[in-house]
Short mmCIF file of all heavy atoms in Angstrom, two decimals:
data_model
loop_
_atom_site.label_atom_id
_atom_site.label_comp_id
_atom_site.label_asym_id
_atom_site.label_seq_id
_atom_site.Cartn_x
_atom_site.Cartn_y
_atom_site.Cartn_z
N MET A 7 150.79 107.88 23.10
CA MET A 7 150.14 106.74 23.73
C MET A 7 148.63 106.98 23.75
O MET A 7 148.16 108.08 24.04
CB MET A 7 150.69 106.57 25.15
CG MET A 7 150.22 105.32 25.82
SD MET A 7 151.19 105.13 27.32
CE MET A 7 150.37 103.78 28.05
N GLU A 8 147.89 105.92 23.42
CA GLU A 8 146.43 106.01 23.37
C GLU A 8 145.83 106.13 24.77
O GLU A 8 146.28 105.50 25.71
CB GLU A 8 145.91 104.76 22.68
CG GLU A 8 144.44 104.83 22.35
CD GLU A 8 144.00 103.63 21.53
OE1 GLU A 8 144.80 103.16 20.71
OE2 GLU A 8 142.88 103.16 21.75
N LYS A 9 144.80 106.95 24.87
CA LYS A 9 144.12 107.14 26.14
C LYS A 9 143.46 105.82 26.56
O LYS A 9 142.78 105.19 25.74
CB LYS A 9 143.07 108.23 25.98
CG LYS A 9 142.33 108.58 27.24
CD LYS A 9 141.32 109.68 26.96
CE LYS A 9 140.44 109.89 28.17
NZ LYS A 9 139.37 110.86 27.92
N PRO A 10 143.59 105.40 27.81
CA PRO A 10 142.98 104.13 28.23
C PRO A 10 141.46 104.19 28.14
O PRO A 10 140.85 105.22 28.39
CB PRO A 10 143.43 103.97 29.68
CG PRO A 10 144.06 105.24 30.09
CD PRO A 10 144.32 106.06 28.87
N LYS A 11 140.87 103.07 27.74
CA LYS A 11 139.41 102.99 27.62
C LYS A 11 138.78 102.32 28.82
O LYS A 11 137.56 102.30 28.94
CB LYS A 11 139.04 102.23 26.35
CG LYS A 11 139.46 102.95 25.10
CD LYS A 11 139.08 102.21 23.87
CE LYS A 11 139.52 103.00 22.65
NZ LYS A 11 139.20 102.32 21.42
N LEU A 12 139.62 101.75 29.68
CA LEU A 12 139.13 101.05 30.87
C LEU A 12 139.91 101.50 32.08
O LEU A 12 141.03 101.96 31.97
CB LEU A 12 139.32 99.55 30.72
CG LEU A 12 138.67 98.86 29.54
CD1 LEU A 12 139.14 97.41 29.46
CD2 LEU A 12 137.17 98.93 29.66
N GLU A 13 139.28 101.35 33.24
CA GLU A 13 140.02 101.57 34.47
C GLU A 13 139.58 100.55 35.51
O GLU A 13 138.44 100.10 35.52
CB GLU A 13 139.82 102.99 35.00
CG GLU A 13 138.49 103.22 35.66
CD GLU A 13 138.39 104.59 36.32
OE1 GLU A 13 139.36 105.33 36.34
OE2 GLU A 13 137.29 104.88 36.82
N LYS A 14 140.54 100.18 36.35
CA LYS A 14 140.22 99.30 37.46
C LYS A 14 139.65 100.15 38.58
O LYS A 14 140.03 101.31 38.74
CB LYS A 14 141.48 98.60 37.97
CG LYS A 14 142.04 97.59 37.01
CD LYS A 14 143.12 96.79 37.70
CE LYS A 14 144.42 96.95 36.98
NZ LYS A 14 145.54 96.29 37.63
N PHE A 15 138.73 99.59 39.33
CA PHE A 15 138.20 100.29 40.50
C PHE A 15 137.87 99.28 41.58
O PHE A 15 137.84 98.08 41.33
CB PHE A 15 136.97 101.12 40.13
CG PHE A 15 135.75 100.29 39.81
CD1 PHE A 15 134.78 100.06 40.76
CD2 PHE A 15 135.58 99.74 38.55
CE1 PHE A 15 133.67 99.30 40.48
CE2 PHE A 15 134.47 98.97 38.25
CZ PHE A 15 133.51 98.75 39.22
N TRP A 16 137.65 99.80 42.77
CA TRP A 16 137.31 98.95 43.89
C TRP A 16 136.01 99.44 44.50
O TRP A 16 135.83 100.64 44.72
CB TRP A 16 138.42 98.96 44.94
CG TRP A 16 138.15 98.03 46.06
CD1 TRP A 16 138.40 96.69 46.07
CD2 TRP A 16 137.59 98.35 47.33
NE1 TRP A 16 138.01 96.16 47.27
CE2 TRP A 16 137.50 97.16 48.07
CE3 TRP A 16 137.13 99.52 47.91
CZ2 TRP A 16 136.99 97.11 49.34
CZ3 TRP A 16 136.61 99.46 49.19
CH2 TRP A 16 136.55 98.26 49.89
N SER A 17 135.11 98.52 44.76
CA SER A 17 133.84 98.84 45.38
C SER A 17 133.77 98.15 46.74
O SER A 17 134.08 96.97 46.85
CB SER A 17 132.70 98.32 44.49
OG SER A 17 131.49 98.27 45.20
N PRO A 18 133.37 98.88 47.78
CA PRO A 18 133.31 98.26 49.12
C PRO A 18 132.33 97.09 49.17
O PRO A 18 132.54 96.14 49.91
CB PRO A 18 132.85 99.39 50.03
CG PRO A 18 132.79 100.61 49.23
CD PRO A 18 133.02 100.28 47.79
N SER A 19 131.28 97.11 48.36
CA SER A 19 130.30 96.03 48.41
C SER A 19 130.60 94.90 47.43
O SER A 19 130.15 93.77 47.63
CB SER A 19 128.90 96.58 48.15
OG SER A 19 128.85 97.15 46.85
N ARG A 20 131.35 95.18 46.34
CA ARG A 20 131.57 94.14 45.31
C ARG A 20 133.02 93.81 45.03
O ARG A 20 133.32 92.93 44.25
CB ARG A 20 130.90 94.57 44.02
CG ARG A 20 129.39 94.65 44.17
CD ARG A 20 128.76 94.90 42.87
NE ARG A 20 127.33 94.68 43.00
CZ ARG A 20 126.52 94.53 41.99
NH1 ARG A 20 126.99 94.56 40.78
NH2 ARG A 20 125.25 94.34 42.18
N GLY A 21 133.96 94.55 45.59
CA GLY A 21 135.38 94.25 45.38
C GLY A 21 135.93 94.89 44.12
O GLY A 21 135.48 95.96 43.71
N ASN A 22 136.89 94.23 43.50
CA ASN A 22 137.56 94.76 42.32
C ASN A 22 136.64 94.74 41.10
O ASN A 22 135.85 93.83 40.92
CB ASN A 22 138.80 93.93 42.01
CG ASN A 22 139.86 94.10 43.06
OD1 ASN A 22 140.12 95.21 43.52
ND2 ASN A 22 140.45 92.99 43.49
N GLY A 23 136.78 95.77 40.26
CA GLY A 23 135.98 95.85 39.05
C GLY A 23 136.74 96.52 37.93
O GLY A 23 137.84 97.02 38.10
N LEU A 24 136.15 96.50 36.74
CA LEU A 24 136.72 97.11 35.55
C LEU A 24 135.59 97.86 34.86
O LEU A 24 134.52 97.31 34.64
CB LEU A 24 137.27 96.00 34.65
CG LEU A 24 138.20 96.37 33.52
CD1 LEU A 24 139.48 97.00 34.06
CD2 LEU A 24 138.54 95.13 32.70
N ARG A 25 135.79 99.14 34.54
CA ARG A 25 134.72 99.92 33.91
C ARG A 25 135.26 100.72 32.72
O ARG A 25 136.44 101.06 32.66
CB ARG A 25 134.04 100.83 34.90
CG ARG A 25 134.90 101.93 35.45
CD ARG A 25 134.14 102.79 36.43
NE ARG A 25 135.05 103.47 37.34
CZ ARG A 25 134.81 103.69 38.61
NH1 ARG A 25 133.67 103.32 39.14
NH2 ARG A 25 135.69 104.31 39.37
N ALA A 26 134.33 101.02 31.79
CA ALA A 26 134.67 101.76 30.58
C ALA A 26 134.80 103.25 30.89
O ALA A 26 134.05 103.80 31.69
CB ALA A 26 133.62 101.54 29.51
N LEU A 27 135.76 103.90 30.23
CA LEU A 27 135.95 105.34 30.36
C LEU A 27 135.50 106.08 29.11
O LEU A 27 135.53 107.30 29.07
CB LEU A 27 137.43 105.65 30.62
CG LEU A 27 138.00 105.09 31.91
CD1 LEU A 27 139.50 105.31 31.97
CD2 LEU A 27 137.33 105.72 33.12
N ALA A 28 135.12 105.32 28.07
CA ALA A 28 134.69 105.91 26.81
C ALA A 28 133.67 104.98 26.16
O ALA A 28 133.49 103.85 26.60
CB ALA A 28 135.90 106.07 25.88
N SER A 29 133.00 105.46 25.11
CA SER A 29 132.07 104.61 24.37
C SER A 29 132.84 103.47 23.71
O SER A 29 133.96 103.67 23.23
CB SER A 29 131.36 105.41 23.28
OG SER A 29 130.56 106.39 23.86
N LEU A 30 132.24 102.30 23.70
CA LEU A 30 132.92 101.11 23.16
C LEU A 30 132.11 100.58 21.99
O LEU A 30 130.89 100.61 22.00
CB LEU A 30 133.03 100.04 24.24
CG LEU A 30 133.75 100.47 25.52
CD1 LEU A 30 133.65 99.40 26.57
CD2 LEU A 30 135.19 100.83 25.23
N ARG A 31 132.82 100.08 20.97
CA ARG A 31 132.17 99.46 19.80
C ARG A 31 132.00 97.97 20.04
O ARG A 31 132.86 97.35 20.68
CB ARG A 31 133.01 99.68 18.55
CG ARG A 31 133.19 101.14 18.16
CD ARG A 31 133.97 101.27 16.85
NE ARG A 31 135.11 100.39 16.74
CZ ARG A 31 136.34 100.69 17.12
NH1 ARG A 31 136.60 101.87 17.61
NH2 ARG A 31 137.32 99.82 16.99
N PRO A 32 130.93 97.36 19.52
CA PRO A 32 130.79 95.91 19.64
C PRO A 32 131.99 95.20 19.02
O PRO A 32 132.43 95.55 17.93
CB PRO A 32 129.51 95.60 18.85
CG PRO A 32 128.76 96.88 18.83
CD PRO A 32 129.80 97.98 18.83
N GLY A 33 132.56 94.25 19.72
CA GLY A 33 133.68 93.48 19.22
C GLY A 33 135.03 94.13 19.43
O GLY A 33 136.06 93.57 19.06
N GLU A 34 135.07 95.32 20.03
CA GLU A 34 136.33 96.03 20.24
C GLU A 34 137.19 95.31 21.28
O GLU A 34 136.68 94.90 22.32
CB GLU A 34 136.02 97.45 20.71
CG GLU A 34 137.23 98.33 20.86
CD GLU A 34 136.85 99.77 21.21
OE1 GLU A 34 135.64 100.08 21.26
OE2 GLU A 34 137.74 100.56 21.45
N LEU A 35 138.49 95.13 20.99
CA LEU A 35 139.40 94.51 21.94
C LEU A 35 139.66 95.49 23.07
O LEU A 35 140.11 96.61 22.85
CB LEU A 35 140.72 94.12 21.26
CG LEU A 35 141.77 93.52 22.17
CD1 LEU A 35 141.29 92.20 22.75
CD2 LEU A 35 143.06 93.31 21.40
N LEU A 36 139.37 95.08 24.29
CA LEU A 36 139.51 95.96 25.44
C LEU A 36 140.66 95.59 26.34
O LEU A 36 141.25 96.44 27.01
CB LEU A 36 138.22 95.94 26.27
CG LEU A 36 136.97 96.33 25.52
CD1 LEU A 36 135.75 96.16 26.41
CD2 LEU A 36 137.08 97.76 25.02
N PHE A 37 140.99 94.31 26.39
CA PHE A 37 141.98 93.85 27.35
C PHE A 37 142.61 92.59 26.82
O PHE A 37 141.93 91.74 26.27
CB PHE A 37 141.27 93.58 28.68
CG PHE A 37 142.19 93.25 29.81
CD1 PHE A 37 142.91 94.23 30.45
CD2 PHE A 37 142.33 91.95 30.23
CE1 PHE A 37 143.76 93.92 31.48
CE2 PHE A 37 143.18 91.62 31.28
CZ PHE A 37 143.90 92.62 31.91
N ARG A 38 143.91 92.45 26.96
CA ARG A 38 144.61 91.25 26.52
C ARG A 38 145.62 90.88 27.59
O ARG A 38 146.32 91.73 28.12
CB ARG A 38 145.33 91.52 25.21
CG ARG A 38 146.07 90.32 24.69
CD ARG A 38 146.72 90.60 23.38
NE ARG A 38 145.65 90.74 22.38
CZ ARG A 38 145.85 91.00 21.13
NH1 ARG A 38 147.06 91.20 20.69
NH2 ARG A 38 144.85 91.11 20.29
N SER A 39 145.65 89.59 27.90
CA SER A 39 146.56 89.13 28.94
C SER A 39 146.89 87.66 28.71
O SER A 39 146.10 86.94 28.10
CB SER A 39 145.88 89.30 30.30
OG SER A 39 146.70 88.81 31.33
N GLU A 40 148.04 87.23 29.18
CA GLU A 40 148.38 85.82 29.13
C GLU A 40 147.46 85.07 30.08
O GLU A 40 147.16 85.56 31.18
CB GLU A 40 149.84 85.61 29.57
CG GLU A 40 150.84 86.18 28.61
CD GLU A 40 150.85 85.45 27.27
OE1 GLU A 40 150.72 84.22 27.26
OE2 GLU A 40 150.98 86.14 26.24
N PRO A 41 146.96 83.89 29.68
CA PRO A 41 146.07 83.14 30.56
C PRO A 41 146.82 82.58 31.77
O PRO A 41 147.99 82.21 31.67
CB PRO A 41 145.55 82.02 29.67
CG PRO A 41 146.57 81.86 28.61
CD PRO A 41 147.18 83.23 28.41
N LEU A 42 146.13 82.52 32.90
CA LEU A 42 146.71 81.90 34.09
C LEU A 42 146.53 80.38 34.02
O LEU A 42 147.33 79.63 34.54
CB LEU A 42 146.03 82.43 35.35
CG LEU A 42 146.21 83.92 35.59
CD1 LEU A 42 145.37 84.36 36.78
CD2 LEU A 42 147.66 84.26 35.81
N ALA A 43 145.47 79.95 33.39
CA ALA A 43 145.19 78.53 33.23
C ALA A 43 144.28 78.37 32.02
O ALA A 43 143.60 79.31 31.63
CB ALA A 43 144.51 77.98 34.47
N TYR A 44 144.27 77.19 31.43
CA TYR A 44 143.37 76.92 30.33
C TYR A 44 143.11 75.42 30.28
O TYR A 44 143.82 74.64 30.92
CB TYR A 44 143.94 77.40 28.99
CG TYR A 44 145.19 76.68 28.57
CD1 TYR A 44 145.13 75.50 27.85
CD2 TYR A 44 146.43 77.19 28.92
CE1 TYR A 44 146.28 74.83 27.47
CE2 TYR A 44 147.58 76.51 28.55
CZ TYR A 44 147.51 75.35 27.83
OH TYR A 44 148.65 74.69 27.47
N THR A 45 142.09 75.05 29.55
CA THR A 45 141.79 73.64 29.34
C THR A 45 141.15 73.48 27.97
O THR A 45 140.68 74.45 27.38
CB THR A 45 140.85 73.11 30.46
OG1 THR A 45 140.71 71.70 30.28
CG2 THR A 45 139.48 73.76 30.38
N VAL A 46 141.16 72.30 27.47
CA VAL A 46 140.54 72.00 26.19
C VAL A 46 139.08 71.64 26.44
O VAL A 46 138.78 70.85 27.34
CB VAL A 46 141.28 70.83 25.50
CG1 VAL A 46 140.59 70.44 24.20
CG2 VAL A 46 142.73 71.20 25.26
N CYS A 47 138.17 72.22 25.68
CA CYS A 47 136.75 71.91 25.85
C CYS A 47 136.46 70.48 25.35
O CYS A 47 137.24 69.92 24.58
CB CYS A 47 135.87 72.93 25.14
SG CYS A 47 136.05 72.93 23.35
N LYS A 48 135.35 69.91 25.80
CA LYS A 48 135.00 68.53 25.44
C LYS A 48 135.02 68.30 23.94
O LYS A 48 135.49 67.28 23.47
CB LYS A 48 133.58 68.20 25.95
CG LYS A 48 133.49 67.88 27.39
CD LYS A 48 132.05 67.49 27.69
CE LYS A 48 131.82 67.34 29.17
NZ LYS A 48 130.41 67.04 29.46
N GLU A 49 134.49 69.26 23.19
CA GLU A 49 134.38 69.11 21.74
C GLU A 49 135.75 69.06 21.06
O GLU A 49 135.88 68.54 19.95
CB GLU A 49 133.56 70.25 21.14
CG GLU A 49 132.12 70.28 21.56
CD GLU A 49 131.90 70.84 22.96
OE1 GLU A 49 132.79 71.56 23.48
OE2 GLU A 49 130.86 70.54 23.57
N SER A 50 136.78 69.57 21.72
CA SER A 50 138.12 69.61 21.11
C SER A 50 139.06 68.57 21.65
O SER A 50 140.20 68.46 21.17
CB SER A 50 138.73 71.00 21.31
OG SER A 50 137.97 71.98 20.63
N LEU A 51 138.63 67.76 22.63
CA LEU A 51 139.50 66.71 23.16
C LEU A 51 139.85 65.73 22.06
O LEU A 51 138.98 65.26 21.33
CB LEU A 51 138.81 65.97 24.31
CG LEU A 51 138.83 66.66 25.66
CD1 LEU A 51 137.99 65.89 26.66
CD2 LEU A 51 140.24 66.85 26.17
N GLY A 52 141.14 65.45 21.90
CA GLY A 52 141.60 64.54 20.87
C GLY A 52 141.75 65.19 19.51
O GLY A 52 142.20 64.56 18.57
N VAL A 53 141.37 66.44 19.39
CA VAL A 53 141.46 67.17 18.12
C VAL A 53 142.59 68.19 18.18
O VAL A 53 143.26 68.44 17.19
CB VAL A 53 140.13 67.86 17.78
CG1 VAL A 53 140.23 68.68 16.51
CG2 VAL A 53 139.01 66.84 17.67
N VAL A 54 142.80 68.77 19.37
CA VAL A 54 143.86 69.77 19.54
C VAL A 54 144.84 69.29 20.59
O VAL A 54 144.50 68.50 21.48
CB VAL A 54 143.30 71.16 19.94
CG1 VAL A 54 142.36 71.69 18.89
CG2 VAL A 54 142.65 71.11 21.29
N CYS A 55 146.06 69.76 20.50
CA CYS A 55 147.10 69.47 21.48
C CYS A 55 146.69 70.11 22.81
O CYS A 55 146.33 71.28 22.85
CB CYS A 55 148.43 70.03 20.99
SG CYS A 55 149.75 69.94 22.20
N GLU A 56 146.78 69.36 23.90
CA GLU A 56 146.38 69.87 25.21
C GLU A 56 147.43 70.78 25.83
O GLU A 56 147.19 71.40 26.85
CB GLU A 56 146.05 68.72 26.15
CG GLU A 56 144.81 67.97 25.68
CD GLU A 56 144.42 66.85 26.63
OE1 GLU A 56 144.75 66.94 27.82
OE2 GLU A 56 143.80 65.90 26.16
N ARG A 57 148.63 70.87 25.20
CA ARG A 57 149.68 71.76 25.72
C ARG A 57 149.67 73.11 25.00
O ARG A 57 149.74 74.15 25.62
CB ARG A 57 151.05 71.11 25.60
CG ARG A 57 151.19 69.92 26.54
CD ARG A 57 152.52 69.26 26.38
NE ARG A 57 153.60 70.16 26.77
CZ ARG A 57 154.87 69.90 26.55
NH1 ARG A 57 155.22 68.80 25.94
NH2 ARG A 57 155.79 70.75 26.93
N CYS A 58 149.61 73.07 23.66
CA CYS A 58 149.73 74.32 22.91
C CYS A 58 148.46 74.69 22.14
O CYS A 58 148.38 75.74 21.54
CB CYS A 58 150.91 74.25 21.95
SG CYS A 58 150.63 73.08 20.62
N LEU A 59 147.44 73.83 22.16
CA LEU A 59 146.14 74.03 21.54
C LEU A 59 146.17 74.05 20.02
O LEU A 59 145.21 74.46 19.39
CB LEU A 59 145.46 75.31 22.07
CG LEU A 59 145.32 75.37 23.59
CD1 LEU A 59 144.70 76.70 24.00
CD2 LEU A 59 144.50 74.22 24.13
N CYS A 60 147.28 73.60 19.42
CA CYS A 60 147.34 73.49 17.96
C CYS A 60 146.44 72.34 17.51
O CYS A 60 146.34 71.33 18.17
CB CYS A 60 148.76 73.22 17.49
SG CYS A 60 149.83 74.64 17.61
N ARG A 61 145.81 72.50 16.36
CA ARG A 61 144.91 71.50 15.81
C ARG A 61 145.73 70.55 14.92
O ARG A 61 146.35 70.96 13.96
CB ARG A 61 143.84 72.20 15.00
CG ARG A 61 142.67 71.36 14.60
CD ARG A 61 141.60 72.23 13.98
NE ARG A 61 140.91 73.07 14.95
CZ ARG A 61 139.82 72.70 15.61
NH1 ARG A 61 139.31 71.53 15.41
NH2 ARG A 61 139.25 73.52 16.46
N TYR A 62 145.75 69.26 15.25
CA TYR A 62 146.53 68.29 14.50
C TYR A 62 145.72 67.17 13.90
O TYR A 62 146.20 66.44 13.08
CB TYR A 62 147.62 67.68 15.38
CG TYR A 62 148.85 68.52 15.41
CD1 TYR A 62 149.08 69.36 16.48
CD2 TYR A 62 149.74 68.50 14.36
CE1 TYR A 62 150.21 70.15 16.50
CE2 TYR A 62 150.86 69.29 14.36
CZ TYR A 62 151.09 70.11 15.44
OH TYR A 62 152.19 70.89 15.45
N GLY A 63 144.53 66.92 14.37
CA GLY A 63 143.75 65.82 13.82
C GLY A 63 143.05 65.04 14.91
O GLY A 63 143.15 65.36 16.08
N ALA A 64 142.36 63.99 14.53
CA ALA A 64 141.48 63.29 15.46
C ALA A 64 142.22 62.37 16.42
O ALA A 64 141.72 62.07 17.48
CB ALA A 64 140.46 62.48 14.68
N ASN A 65 143.43 61.91 16.11
CA ASN A 65 144.12 60.94 16.96
C ASN A 65 145.42 61.46 17.54
O ASN A 65 146.38 60.72 17.67
CB ASN A 65 144.37 59.66 16.17
CG ASN A 65 143.07 58.99 15.79
OD1 ASN A 65 142.15 58.91 16.62
ND2 ASN A 65 142.97 58.53 14.56
N LEU A 66 145.48 62.71 17.94
CA LEU A 66 146.67 63.29 18.53
C LEU A 66 146.94 62.66 19.90
O LEU A 66 146.08 62.66 20.76
CB LEU A 66 146.50 64.80 18.68
CG LEU A 66 147.68 65.53 19.29
CD1 LEU A 66 148.85 65.50 18.32
CD2 LEU A 66 147.30 66.96 19.60
N LEU A 67 148.12 62.09 20.07
CA LEU A 67 148.46 61.46 21.34
C LEU A 67 149.49 62.25 22.11
O LEU A 67 149.49 62.25 23.33
CB LEU A 67 148.95 60.03 21.11
CG LEU A 67 147.93 59.09 20.46
CD1 LEU A 67 148.57 57.75 20.17
CD2 LEU A 67 146.72 58.93 21.36
N THR A 68 150.44 62.88 21.42
CA THR A 68 151.47 63.66 22.11
C THR A 68 151.67 64.98 21.36
O THR A 68 151.34 65.11 20.20
CB THR A 68 152.81 62.91 22.13
OG1 THR A 68 153.20 62.65 20.78
CG2 THR A 68 152.70 61.61 22.90
N CYS A 69 152.26 65.91 22.03
CA CYS A 69 152.57 67.20 21.44
C CYS A 69 153.78 67.06 20.52
O CYS A 69 154.82 66.57 20.93
CB CYS A 69 152.85 68.23 22.52
SG CYS A 69 153.23 69.84 21.85
N VAL A 70 153.61 67.47 19.30
CA VAL A 70 154.72 67.41 18.35
C VAL A 70 155.04 68.83 17.85
O VAL A 70 155.69 69.00 16.85
CB VAL A 70 154.39 66.50 17.15
CG1 VAL A 70 154.28 65.06 17.62
CG2 VAL A 70 153.11 66.93 16.48
N CYS A 71 154.57 69.82 18.57
CA CYS A 71 154.77 71.20 18.16
C CYS A 71 156.23 71.61 18.31
O CYS A 71 156.87 71.23 19.29
CB CYS A 71 153.93 72.14 19.02
SG CYS A 71 152.20 71.73 18.94
N PRO A 72 156.76 72.39 17.36
CA PRO A 72 158.14 72.87 17.48
C PRO A 72 158.28 73.73 18.73
O PRO A 72 157.41 74.51 19.06
CB PRO A 72 158.35 73.71 16.22
CG PRO A 72 157.16 73.51 15.36
CD PRO A 72 156.10 72.85 16.17
N GLY A 73 159.36 73.54 19.42
CA GLY A 73 159.65 74.37 20.60
C GLY A 73 158.98 73.90 21.87
O GLY A 73 159.15 74.49 22.92
N MET A 74 158.20 72.82 21.83
CA MET A 74 157.55 72.34 23.05
C MET A 74 158.39 71.30 23.72
O MET A 74 159.12 70.59 23.15
CB MET A 74 156.16 71.78 22.78
CG MET A 74 155.20 72.82 22.28
SD MET A 74 154.84 74.14 23.44
CE MET A 74 153.86 73.28 24.63
ZN1 LIG B 116 151.41 70.98 21.05
#
């Protein structure tokens, strides 16, 4: 198992935090998690499905994605 590059910590003045334990490269993936919530940005409204975020075209009205 790879050594963790981040650790959670708690600060009395700032609360919960996350800090690096090793040198990090630009663009390196540090953390991945399922989103708690999401929304479609203004530029993508009507271009992507608002449920699964798949790109279908300019006039998408309903989700037609398999499994939805
Ligand atoms: Zn969809």
Side-chain angles (χ1 to χ4, degrees):
M7 188 169 173
E8 190 174 324
K9 183 180 172 185
K11 295 181 179 179
L12 302 172
E13 76 173 356
K14 291 190 240 175
F15 70 97
W16 184 82
S17 164
S19 62
R20 295 187 168 196
N22 293 316
L24 194 63
R25 66 180 157 217
L27 297 173
S29 295
L30 303 173
R31 297 184 317 269
E34 185 175 356
L35 177 63
L36 302 175
F37 186 77
R38 180 178 291 180
S39 177
E40 293 293 321
L42 297 174
Y44 64 88
T45 186
V46 176
C47 65
K48 281 184 188 177
E49 295 78 20
S50 296
L51 281 174
V53 177
V54 299
C55 172
E56 294 182 26
R57 291 178 65 190
C58 68
L59 305 177
C60 286
R61 192 172 288 270
Y62 275 100
N65 295 317
L66 179 68
L67 298 175
T68 58
C69 180
V70 293
C71 303
M74 296 297 288

